[in-house]
Amino acid sequence: MTKPSAKDLSHHLSVEAKSRKNSPLKGAFKYYNKPGITFLGGGLPLSDYFPFDKISADCPSAPFANGIGAQITKDDKTVVEVYKDAAKNDPANHDVNLAKSLQYGFTEGHTELMDFVKKHTDTIHKIPYEDWTAIASIGNTQSWDACLRTFVTRGDAILVEEFSFSSALETAHAQGVTTYPVQMDGEGVIPEALSEVLDNWVGPKPKLFYTICTGQNPTGSCVSEERRRAIYQLAQKHDFIIVEDEPYYFLQMETYTRDEKERQGKHVHSHEEFVKALVPSYLSMDVDGRVLRLDSVSKTIAPGSRFGWIVGQEKLLERFVRLHEVSIQCPSGFAQSTLNGLFQRWGQAGYLDWLIGLRAEYTHKRDVAIDSLYAHFPLEVCTVLPPVAGMFFIVQIDASKHPKFKELGEDPLKVEDAIYNRGLEFGCLMIPGSWFKVDGQTTPPQPQIPVDETHKHTIFFRGTYAAVPLDDLQRGLEKFGQAVKAEFGL
Amino acid sequence: MTKPSAKDLSHHLSVEAKSRKNSPLKGAFKYYNKPGITFLGGGLPLSDYFPFDKISADCPSAPFANGIGAQITKDDKTVVEVYKDAAKNDPANHDVNLAKSLQYGFTEGHTELMDFVKKHTDTIHKIPYEDWTAIASIGNTQSWDACLRTFVTRGDAILVEEFSFSSALETAHAQGVTTYPVQMDGEGVIPEALSEVLDNWVGPKPKLFYTICTGQNPTGSCVSEERRRAIYQLAQKHDFIIVEDEPYYFLQMETYTRDEKERQGKHVHSHEEFVKALVPSYLSMDVDGRVLRLDSVSKTIAPGSRFGWIVGQEKLLERFVRLHEVSIQCPSGFAQSTLNGLFQRWGQAGYLDWLIGLRAEYTHKRDVAIDSLYAHFPLEVCTVLPPVAGMFFIVQIDASKHPKFKELGEDPLKVEDAIYNRGLEFGCLMIPGSWFKVDGQTTPPQPQIPVDETHKHTIFFRGTYAAVPLDDLQRGLEKFGQAVKAEFGL
């Protein structure tokens, strides 16, 4: 069965993206390495002068029988060795030799590594249209900056989740783009709310919707397949692009249960089970080519790698390549040679093993965190929403139950502030939800969408189980629970 | 003697740069690692899950007695080894352990590496004001993109050299910035021409001047100290910022001589001689803090490192840090740990040895190229301008001497095109100078500055001696010389 081609969405390009030209110099590069032509066109230093003969890395070996955090042993390790000289590398490894990775060029990312990434992408998302590709980025923060530069122009408005990653919002705001919040509940953005917003939109419709749909930052929510399909249909109806920023996609977990025994039976065992257990991405339902997926190794391998990739239709990604040529050029060759070296030696199956190991670790961390919340937080004022993905959990608190609620002018934010400070006093820091709240000012202003009255006194705090050892996590949550109790006189 | 402080130049910031806010989350980070506080604020993965115990690199050892391109031997090599676990690294090496370099954070660049870079900067430039600093970048292309975003807003005009690096111009044009060309001669921008442009400027004066002053791309020219001082005074008088994009700064050479014997005596021998032989940078004369210097390892170590740095006054660079936080974050940890490992083991002196070696190599390459030009090009129509810095040389050609000049409508560009194609036919590609020509359209238009009539029929071709082995270089130039002769019927 042949797949459909992507729709032409070039009308969504920004003034900046539309105006990018190909350099005439690029035209000359067709003569580079052409037999019979001495090419004196480009200012590339000779690789003879790169002071690196070989780089190497000591890594764990798949399938990580003792867990992904286990100590590497002499007998069980994968050594990545990449030489400058192509001839010294074993062709079976598909390495990116240093003469290539440390040279200029390959804005799209090195072929070997990008082929690995594309194969992985295809395994997970089974993209339903033909002409998709993936290009390298410096990680999702940079990818998102590139999306804004490619699609929006100062004065435009975009759609975002009601609570969102402050840094992503700041990227947009500094570019003069206003962010319009779409109402969320415990399962992320509500399609009906999004539909209402768009039906009542004043002025040119927003070009894109930015969403962290799996293990959302800050709410920890995960949008269900059903909601994703409904939202994708809205994207088709109202012709907008979906940017899915998905660093936490592979930190999906088993659903939380307080039953220790039940937990044992819940792990995924095979690659097939693992892939099947993942919530379908917007990319996987993208028949039009209107989804840009931002992926990276920041949460699966290491954030400081500064390596990520953008998946989308070829015609739109070509504009990103033009942008990257005149800004970041490409991710570091040290990162590309090393990561590619690791991926090639692990293979597709080994990387899935690693991700399965990650799933087990995060499921356990999440369980410890949620157990602690149930044990130490006053459930008469707190609601625990066990996440099924990501690094974050939230505790919702009914501010109206605060003994001084009236004195505080019935302002939930004052209660939030008091709890934050009380937490610090007791020795634990969690982030107030209001810090992530998106203000909805756009030009022109949009009609007021009715507010959910039942939740107007609900505040929340965001915590993470990712960054601290488990005993610290338990101790910290106990302290924060005591702080909440003290604040509410419980 | 205490140095002066930088002038307040914040009025030059762009709309985008002025509007960047600190995230409230950053405020919470003061509690990170604070004793007594369990910090559940940030989504940082545990370094236990970074699948790299150690990275290493095989490198040449200073002082590179057999030249920088010599084969590394078993007995004479520097091995960089950097562990994830800080405790496993020898503190004497000042390594950036992988638990740190592969984690989030350190937008300014890692302290150990940036301290090395700053010390190196101070040795070379002896910056005359107090509150300067350096922050990491992904290389000069990205640094320049960041400069534009920090200082200019759509519709602004900036000053550039009459011929300039097409990619740098494209970065500006796509951001809606017009580039006004300042007249050059064989020694780069002419201060008197710049002065005239600014005295006659219509509308708000340009905020910045972008210059590749050493080994200019494409002309290969190097601006003298005297001219730099004159231009710096113009920057003070007309209150603009100088962005010196200096990838080729350390590819400075001895002046060209056709006398083989004289060449032998010309090499620099000590670190002091080397530093003294470098043309003073704008940074070295910057008493106001109005210079931003873009430096990188792309031409001295390897371009694919994607590591560079921006030097300038602290108050302006703070705005760059805010931009980097929401775009690139920082250079790859693989690059930072490896480069820092190498620099720490070589030491400041070792890096100077490397740069001295580089100087010798490029001097030799330049000599071979210029010798070939004199041997094979028709000097009755060609002028050779031996460069003293960089990777590029140009050959000027008097188009009016072309036998069909009248037939071609006295259009030098038609002669240029004919020579380019004839070059390809003969088997050598050099880049036509007009491809680098800056068009001077600004809004509002600026008054016409008189054109130098004596050169209006001069065209030029850019070549490089950097990218090809010496025998190819000689053969290529012989072919191009024959093509020029054929074209001119000589």
Side-chain angles (χ1 to χ4, degrees), chain B residues 4-321:
Chain B
S5 292
K7 285 219 160 83
D8 181 3
L9 297 176
S10 54
H11 56 283
H12 279 315
L13 292 171
S14 65
V15 173
E16 179 173 337
K18 275 184 190 146
S19 71
R20 286 189 196 290
K21 289 189 204 79
N22 273 329
S23 157
L25 283 172
K26 302 269 163 202
F29 264 85
K30 67 178 175 235
Y31 296 105
Y32 184 63
N33 273 339
K34 197 170 175 175
I37 298 275
T38 310
F39 186 84
L40 303 182
L44 283 68
L46 282 184
S47 63
D48 299 3
Y49 305 154
F50 302 167
F52 300 98
D53 258 23
K54 185 181 87 173
I55 59 169
S56 52
D58 289 359
C59 307
S61 292
F64 322 104
N66 300 316
I68 60 163
Q71 207 67 53
I72 295 175
T73 62
K74 255 190 196 168
D75 308 319
D76 190 26
K77 81 174 160 186
T78 294
V79 179
V80 176
E81 285 190 312
V82 184
Y83 289 86
K84 174 157 77 179
D85 181 357
K88 288 187 186 165
N89 291 311
D90 182 345
N93 286 330
H94 302 287
D95 277 315
V96 186
N97 64 72
L98 303 179
K100 208 157 78 173
S101 71
L102 296 182
Q103 187 54 278
Y104 283 114
F106 297 92
T107 307
E108 295 88 344
H110 282 283
T111 316
E112 295 82 350
L113 178 54
M114 295 316 293
D115 281 353
F116 187 94
V117 160
K118 285 180 208 169
K119 184 135 197 238
H120 167 73
T121 300
D122 205 34
T123 304
I124 305 295
H125 306 287
K126 302 174 189 73
I127 304 173
Y129 69 97
E130 188 60 42
D131 44 341
W132 66 272
T133 192
I135 62 158
S137 81
I138 305 288
N140 289 18
T141 307
Q142 185 266 320
S143 298
W144 171 231
D145 182 51
C147 284
L148 287 163
R149 293 176 75 174
T150 301
F151 295 113
V152 295
T153 303
R154 193 163 276 277
D156 284 352
I158 61 170
L159 299 165
V160 299
E161 289 147 328
E162 188 181 357
F163 297 92
S164 191
F165 179 39
S166 344
S167 164
L169 299 171
E170 173 57 22
T171 311
H173 294 158
Q175 293 187 31
V177 172
T178 52
T179 45
Y180 190 84
V182 183
Q183 204 189 329
M184 303 173 80
D185 61 15
E187 288 155 64
V189 155
I190 306 166
E192 293 72 20
L194 178 57
S195 179
E196 205 176 330
V197 163
L198 288 162
D199 286 339
N200 294 292
W201 195 266
V202 176
K205 292 267 171 78
K207 282 179 181 177
L208 69 83
F209 170 43
Y210 171 77
T211 176
I212 308 163
C213 34
T214 316
Q216 209 255 356
N217 185 358
T219 65
S221 62
C222 184
V223 180
S224 67
E225 176 174 356
E226 199 188 336
R227 283 197 177 184
R228 289 181 197 222
R229 294 206 181 276
I231 291 167
Y232 187 79
Q233 278 173 17
L234 291 172
Q236 292 185 300
K237 180 177 167 193
H238 296 280
D239 186 27
F240 61 84
I241 285 168
I242 297 176
V243 176
E244 56 175 351
D245 181 4
E246 284 290 77
Y248 312 109
Y249 188 72
F250 288 112
L251 309 186
Q252 293 184 48
M253 307 143 189
E254 313 313 322
T255 46
Y256 176 77
T257 165
R258 298 183 75 167
D259 181 338
E260 284 275 356
K261 242 190 184 160
E262 212 184 315
R263 285 181 191 173
Q264 305 307 322
K266 282 202 129 188
H267 293 297
V268 299
H269 297 287
S270 70
H271 296 162
E272 293 69 29
E273 262 180 55
F274 172 72
V275 173
K276 233 184 127 184
L278 297 167
V279 60
S281 62
Y282 284 111
L283 191 63
S284 75
M285 43 193 81
D286 185 19
V287 289
D288 292 352
R290 61 171 68 252
V291 174
L292 284 160
R293 183 177 174 84
L294 317 185
D295 259 313
S296 90
V297 298
S298 291
K299 305 301 191 292
T300 64
I301 300 286
S305 307
R306 298 288 84 218
F307 176 76
W309 57 97
I310 310 172
V311 186
Q313 58 157 290
E314 282 170 4
K315 261 183 90 175
L316 294 179
L317 287 187
E318 182 272 343
R319 294 283 88 188
F320 283 76
V321 174

Side-chain angles (χ1 to χ4, degrees), chain B residues 378-417:
Chain B
L379 298 176
E380 53 273 50
V381 298
C382 295
T383 308
V384 176
L385 298 172
V388 291
M391 293 183 155
F392 303 110
F393 60 90
I394 61 170
V395 180
Q396 288 182 337
I397 301 174
D398 183 346
S400 70
K401 294 192 175 148
H402 193 278
K404 293 187 186 162
F405 190 58
K406 280 221 164 122
E407 271 172 63
L408 294 169
E410 303 205 352
D411 182 355
L413 293 186
K414 288 196 175 143
V415 177
E416 190 191 65
D417 204 44

